[in-house]
Amino acid sequence: MSTLLEMKKISIEFPGVKALNEVDFSTRTGTTHALIGANGAGKSTLMKVLSGAYGHYTGEIYLDGKKVDIRTPKDAQDYGIQIVYQEVDTALVPYLTVGENIMLNETVNDMGKSQFVKWKHIHQKATEILKRMNIKISSKKLVSELTLAEKQMVLIARSISKQCKFLILDEPTAPLSHSETTELFRIVRELVKEDVGVIFISHRLPELFEICEEITVMKNGEFVIKEKIAETTQNKVVEHMLGEKLEDQFPKYHVEIGDTVLKVQGLHDTGLVKNFSMQVNEGEIVGIAGLVGAGKTEICKAIFGASKITAGEISIRGKTVKIKGPDDAVRKGIALVPEERRKEGILVQESVSTNLTSASLGKFSKFLSFVDTRGEKKISKTMISDLGIKTPSSEAKVQNLSGGNQQKVAIGKWLIADAEVYIFDEPTKGVDVGAKKDIFELISGLAKRGKSIIYASCELSEILGITDRVYVVYDGEVAKELETKSTNEEELLFYSTGGK
């Protein structure tokens, strides 16, 4: 017997902004329901209300017609509602094992009842759940040793370790490769067969149309439409999201390619990167394409000085340089917008203004190291306007912004710093089609100004849409260098999977 979940007239406010305005949402166990909207539409906020993260909402929640009061995460879990957030690192304890993380709630409860924890029982139960999900990870492995994709699977395993009626997945496929996504979908289908209702938040429309039966669209904190997937199209969904017809995402521009700015030769790090070489010229957008785990992020970090280089050399405008660390890279004119923006790219507890000026504090330092706060605020407001960052004010905390707006802040701080080489690592991860277009415009605008751009992504359509040349990476090294206009997605995928 399926359970009906209904959220009626849900509203919530934060200082200076009304995030949800009388939103209705409904779904059942035994179905997969897509929840979609542009960044800032309120979909994650609505699910945080349902999962008990935000208790100060107005409106009502019903299970099978019976009103329930969900104000804390424990309330939600008691009703069988679990959530897996997009930012996996914030939800796991890195120095605990996989089994301890999966069984974390049970471990805490056991410790409340007794001084002793039944470690054997915990690892046995965790292993059973991993086996059921066909995840080949030892329950005794430390979480700090896992890949991003494996951490995502551990979080899902934790969610179903307790009685789960509704599982909310917030951008679950963002860190996953194609094969890992296929595996996740298998798990989702198995859960649905067991009468679990899965609510799927994602910006990847093809995935939603593959896995979901129903879809709810939100815009500007309000409900727009609920439809059956079989009765709509991807283009119609985008039009509901944006309130307008979908245009071409990628900007059309022509830039004269100038002199070589950055040259990397025979780069090795202490881990995955081996014998990596590339060059980037003025006004050129160069892609690093590869599947999840191919080494794209490691290459970006090695160039930026965030990981140790064991061999090879880097030259800027023909001069060999030693990059001693990220601060040294910034001084030499290199900027990195990292994949894990909440962990590495922004200061979530600080204001938009503080974040935007954090990479160029020297410009705002006055006599005796006083900070020119008026100058900071002025340039921050200009940047907020130029980038279209949706925020109630320049003093709002970045943690309260949507994913797309957080990404704009992460990019904006480097625009103020005015680097020569910009490295973008998965810049559109977790952002919607509208925000993606804004980011593509920003990047092409930098190229027009003669900046050198490295664009690392596993989204092959984006590589084809925005780059001039592309280095396809497999297992930490270049598998093939291609001119973008002369290649296609099939060829990129062929080399990405180790084709020769």
Side-chain angles (χ1 to χ4, degrees), residues 384-402:
I384 288 165
S385 173
D386 289 351
L387 299 185
I389 299 169
K390 289 180 184 172
T391 175
S393 78
S394 62
E395 296 309 303
K397 284 190 177 182
V398 169
Q399 67 180 1
N400 294 328
L401 303 188
S402 66

PDB file of all heavy atoms in Angstrom, residues 384-402:
ATOM      1  N   ILE A 384      28.228  42.333  -8.351  1.00  0.00           N
ATOM      2  CA  ILE A 384      26.924  41.676  -8.168  1.00  0.00           C
ATOM      3  C   ILE A 384      25.993  42.032  -9.318  1.00  0.00           C
ATOM      4  O   ILE A 384      25.300  41.181  -9.881  1.00  0.00           O
ATOM      5  CB  ILE A 384      26.299  42.072  -6.805  1.00  0.00           C
ATOM      6  CG1 ILE A 384      27.059  41.393  -5.657  1.00  0.00           C
ATOM      7  CG2 ILE A 384      24.821  41.697  -6.739  1.00  0.00           C
ATOM      8  CD1 ILE A 384      26.780  41.989  -4.286  1.00  0.00           C
ATOM      9  N   SER A 385      26.000  43.312  -9.705  1.00  0.00           N
ATOM     10  CA  SER A 385      25.160  43.780 -10.807  1.00  0.00           C
ATOM     11  C   SER A 385      25.632  43.209 -12.143  1.00  0.00           C
ATOM     12  O   SER A 385      24.835  42.690 -12.930  1.00  0.00           O
ATOM     13  CB  SER A 385      25.185  45.316 -10.846  1.00  0.00           C
ATOM     14  OG  SER A 385      24.515  45.789 -11.980  1.00  0.00           O
ATOM     15  N   ASP A 386      26.952  43.266 -12.389  1.00  0.00           N
ATOM     16  CA  ASP A 386      27.500  42.803 -13.674  1.00  0.00           C
ATOM     17  C   ASP A 386      27.297  41.303 -13.884  1.00  0.00           C
ATOM     18  O   ASP A 386      27.034  40.856 -15.004  1.00  0.00           O
ATOM     19  CB  ASP A 386      29.005  43.114 -13.753  1.00  0.00           C
ATOM     20  CG  ASP A 386      29.288  44.610 -13.900  1.00  0.00           C
ATOM     21  OD1 ASP A 386      28.312  45.367 -14.106  1.00  0.00           O
ATOM     22  OD2 ASP A 386      30.464  45.007 -13.786  1.00  0.00           O
ATOM     23  N   LEU A 387      27.431  40.527 -12.796  1.00  0.00           N
ATOM     24  CA  LEU A 387      27.310  39.070 -12.917  1.00  0.00           C
ATOM     25  C   LEU A 387      25.876  38.580 -12.729  1.00  0.00           C
ATOM     26  O   LEU A 387      25.596  37.402 -12.933  1.00  0.00           O
ATOM     27  CB  LEU A 387      28.214  38.378 -11.880  1.00  0.00           C
ATOM     28  CG  LEU A 387      29.717  38.649 -11.967  1.00  0.00           C
ATOM     29  CD1 LEU A 387      30.462  37.795 -10.950  1.00  0.00           C
ATOM     30  CD2 LEU A 387      30.242  38.360 -13.350  1.00  0.00           C
ATOM     31  N   GLY A 388      24.974  39.471 -12.321  1.00  0.00           N
ATOM     32  CA  GLY A 388      23.590  39.058 -12.080  1.00  0.00           C
ATOM     33  C   GLY A 388      23.468  38.104 -10.911  1.00  0.00           C
ATOM     34  O   GLY A 388      22.698  37.145 -10.956  1.00  0.00           O
ATOM     35  N   ILE A 389      24.260  38.355  -9.843  1.00  0.00           N
ATOM     36  CA  ILE A 389      24.188  37.504  -8.654  1.00  0.00           C
ATOM     37  C   ILE A 389      22.917  37.841  -7.884  1.00  0.00           C
ATOM     38  O   ILE A 389      22.703  38.987  -7.495  1.00  0.00           O
ATOM     39  CB  ILE A 389      25.430  37.717  -7.741  1.00  0.00           C
ATOM     40  CG1 ILE A 389      26.710  37.336  -8.492  1.00  0.00           C
ATOM     41  CG2 ILE A 389      25.306  36.897  -6.457  1.00  0.00           C
ATOM     42  CD1 ILE A 389      27.992  37.752  -7.788  1.00  0.00           C
ATOM     43  N   LYS A 390      22.074  36.844  -7.685  1.00  0.00           N
ATOM     44  CA  LYS A 390      20.819  37.068  -6.959  1.00  0.00           C
ATOM     45  C   LYS A 390      21.076  36.952  -5.462  1.00  0.00           C
ATOM     46  O   LYS A 390      21.274  35.858  -4.942  1.00  0.00           O
ATOM     47  CB  LYS A 390      19.756  36.057  -7.405  1.00  0.00           C
ATOM     48  CG  LYS A 390      19.244  36.317  -8.815  1.00  0.00           C
ATOM     49  CD  LYS A 390      18.195  35.309  -9.227  1.00  0.00           C
ATOM     50  CE  LYS A 390      17.768  35.543 -10.670  1.00  0.00           C
ATOM     51  NZ  LYS A 390      16.888  34.468 -11.155  1.00  0.00           N
ATOM     52  N   THR A 391      21.088  38.102  -4.795  1.00  0.00           N
ATOM     53  CA  THR A 391      21.333  38.145  -3.351  1.00  0.00           C
ATOM     54  C   THR A 391      20.580  39.335  -2.781  1.00  0.00           C
ATOM     55  O   THR A 391      20.472  40.370  -3.448  1.00  0.00           O
ATOM     56  CB  THR A 391      22.845  38.271  -3.044  1.00  0.00           C
ATOM     57  OG1 THR A 391      23.034  38.428  -1.643  1.00  0.00           O
ATOM     58  CG2 THR A 391      23.486  39.438  -3.763  1.00  0.00           C
ATOM     59  N   PRO A 392      20.037  39.207  -1.548  1.00  0.00           N
ATOM     60  CA  PRO A 392      19.320  40.345  -0.972  1.00  0.00           C
ATOM     61  C   PRO A 392      20.207  41.563  -0.762  1.00  0.00           C
ATOM     62  O   PRO A 392      19.742  42.695  -0.838  1.00  0.00           O
ATOM     63  CB  PRO A 392      18.796  39.812   0.369  1.00  0.00           C
ATOM     64  CG  PRO A 392      19.458  38.497   0.591  1.00  0.00           C
ATOM     65  CD  PRO A 392      19.934  37.996  -0.724  1.00  0.00           C
ATOM     66  N   SER A 393      21.524  41.334  -0.514  1.00  0.00           N
ATOM     67  CA  SER A 393      22.464  42.451  -0.364  1.00  0.00           C
ATOM     68  C   SER A 393      23.885  41.921  -0.455  1.00  0.00           C
ATOM     69  O   SER A 393      24.107  40.703  -0.411  1.00  0.00           O
ATOM     70  CB  SER A 393      22.274  43.152   0.987  1.00  0.00           C
ATOM     71  OG  SER A 393      22.887  42.400   2.028  1.00  0.00           O
ATOM     72  N   SER A 394      24.847  42.835  -0.541  1.00  0.00           N
ATOM     73  CA  SER A 394      26.250  42.423  -0.613  1.00  0.00           C
ATOM     74  C   SER A 394      26.725  41.841   0.720  1.00  0.00           C
ATOM     75  O   SER A 394      27.758  41.182   0.785  1.00  0.00           O
ATOM     76  CB  SER A 394      27.132  43.614  -0.998  1.00  0.00           C
ATOM     77  OG  SER A 394      27.055  44.632  -0.014  1.00  0.00           O
ATOM     78  N   GLU A 395      25.940  42.071   1.783  1.00  0.00           N
ATOM     79  CA  GLU A 395      26.316  41.580   3.112  1.00  0.00           C
ATOM     80  C   GLU A 395      25.667  40.240   3.458  1.00  0.00           C
ATOM     81  O   GLU A 395      25.889  39.697   4.539  1.00  0.00           O
ATOM     82  CB  GLU A 395      25.957  42.627   4.185  1.00  0.00           C
ATOM     83  CG  GLU A 395      26.739  43.938   4.045  1.00  0.00           C
ATOM     84  CD  GLU A 395      28.242  43.701   3.942  1.00  0.00           C
ATOM     85  OE1 GLU A 395      28.806  43.081   4.859  1.00  0.00           O
ATOM     86  OE2 GLU A 395      28.844  44.136   2.939  1.00  0.00           O
ATOM     87  N   ALA A 396      24.834  39.706   2.554  1.00  0.00           N
ATOM     88  CA  ALA A 396      24.203  38.399   2.804  1.00  0.00           C
ATOM     89  C   ALA A 396      25.267  37.299   2.819  1.00  0.00           C
ATOM     90  O   ALA A 396      26.251  37.361   2.085  1.00  0.00           O
ATOM     91  CB  ALA A 396      23.169  38.108   1.716  1.00  0.00           C
ATOM     92  N   LYS A 397      25.074  36.283   3.662  1.00  0.00           N
ATOM     93  CA  LYS A 397      26.021  35.172   3.721  1.00  0.00           C
ATOM     94  C   LYS A 397      25.913  34.318   2.459  1.00  0.00           C
ATOM     95  O   LYS A 397      24.815  34.019   1.990  1.00  0.00           O
ATOM     96  CB  LYS A 397      25.764  34.304   4.960  1.00  0.00           C
ATOM     97  CG  LYS A 397      26.270  34.935   6.248  1.00  0.00           C
ATOM     98  CD  LYS A 397      26.222  33.939   7.396  1.00  0.00           C
ATOM     99  CE  LYS A 397      26.789  34.554   8.670  1.00  0.00           C
ATOM    100  NZ  LYS A 397      26.794  33.604   9.788  1.00  0.00           N
ATOM    101  N   VAL A 398      27.069  33.900   1.955  1.00  0.00           N
ATOM    102  CA  VAL A 398      27.115  33.116   0.724  1.00  0.00           C
ATOM    103  C   VAL A 398      26.410  31.769   0.882  1.00  0.00           C
ATOM    104  O   VAL A 398      25.833  31.247  -0.064  1.00  0.00           O
ATOM    105  CB  VAL A 398      28.583  32.932   0.274  1.00  0.00           C
ATOM    106  CG1 VAL A 398      28.702  31.905  -0.834  1.00  0.00           C
ATOM    107  CG2 VAL A 398      29.141  34.260  -0.211  1.00  0.00           C
ATOM    108  N   GLN A 399      26.415  31.200   2.097  1.00  0.00           N
ATOM    109  CA  GLN A 399      25.770  29.901   2.314  1.00  0.00           C
ATOM    110  C   GLN A 399      24.269  29.937   2.022  1.00  0.00           C
ATOM    111  O   GLN A 399      23.654  28.902   1.766  1.00  0.00           O
ATOM    112  CB  GLN A 399      26.015  29.415   3.736  1.00  0.00           C
ATOM    113  CG  GLN A 399      25.333  30.246   4.810  1.00  0.00           C
ATOM    114  CD  GLN A 399      25.608  29.717   6.219  1.00  0.00           C
ATOM    115  OE1 GLN A 399      26.314  28.742   6.388  1.00  0.00           O
ATOM    116  NE2 GLN A 399      25.043  30.369   7.200  1.00  0.00           N
ATOM    117  N   ASN A 400      23.667  31.124   2.054  1.00  0.00           N
ATOM    118  CA  ASN A 400      22.227  31.245   1.807  1.00  0.00           C
ATOM    119  C   ASN A 400      21.888  31.448   0.330  1.00  0.00           C
ATOM    120  O   ASN A 400      20.715  31.539  -0.027  1.00  0.00           O
ATOM    121  CB  ASN A 400      21.641  32.399   2.630  1.00  0.00           C
ATOM    122  CG  ASN A 400      21.718  32.117   4.126  1.00  0.00           C
ATOM    123  OD1 ASN A 400      21.635  30.962   4.546  1.00  0.00           O
ATOM    124  ND2 ASN A 400      21.902  33.151   4.926  1.00  0.00           N
ATOM    125  N   LEU A 401      22.912  31.532  -0.535  1.00  0.00           N
ATOM    126  CA  LEU A 401      22.662  31.695  -1.968  1.00  0.00           C
ATOM    127  C   LEU A 401      22.478  30.331  -2.625  1.00  0.00           C
ATOM    128  O   LEU A 401      22.917  29.313  -2.114  1.00  0.00           O
ATOM    129  CB  LEU A 401      23.828  32.424  -2.643  1.00  0.00           C
ATOM    130  CG  LEU A 401      24.234  33.807  -2.125  1.00  0.00           C
ATOM    131  CD1 LEU A 401      25.270  34.412  -3.055  1.00  0.00           C
ATOM    132  CD2 LEU A 401      23.045  34.734  -1.985  1.00  0.00           C
ATOM    133  N   SER A 402      21.859  30.333  -3.800  1.00  0.00           N
ATOM    134  CA  SER A 402      21.701  29.095  -4.563  1.00  0.00           C
ATOM    135  C   SER A 402      23.044  28.680  -5.151  1.00  0.00           C
ATOM    136  O   SER A 402      23.999  29.469  -5.195  1.00  0.00           O
ATOM    137  CB  SER A 402      20.699  29.318  -5.697  1.00  0.00           C
ATOM    138  OG  SER A 402      21.241  30.237  -6.639  1.00  0.00           O
TER     139      SER A 402
END
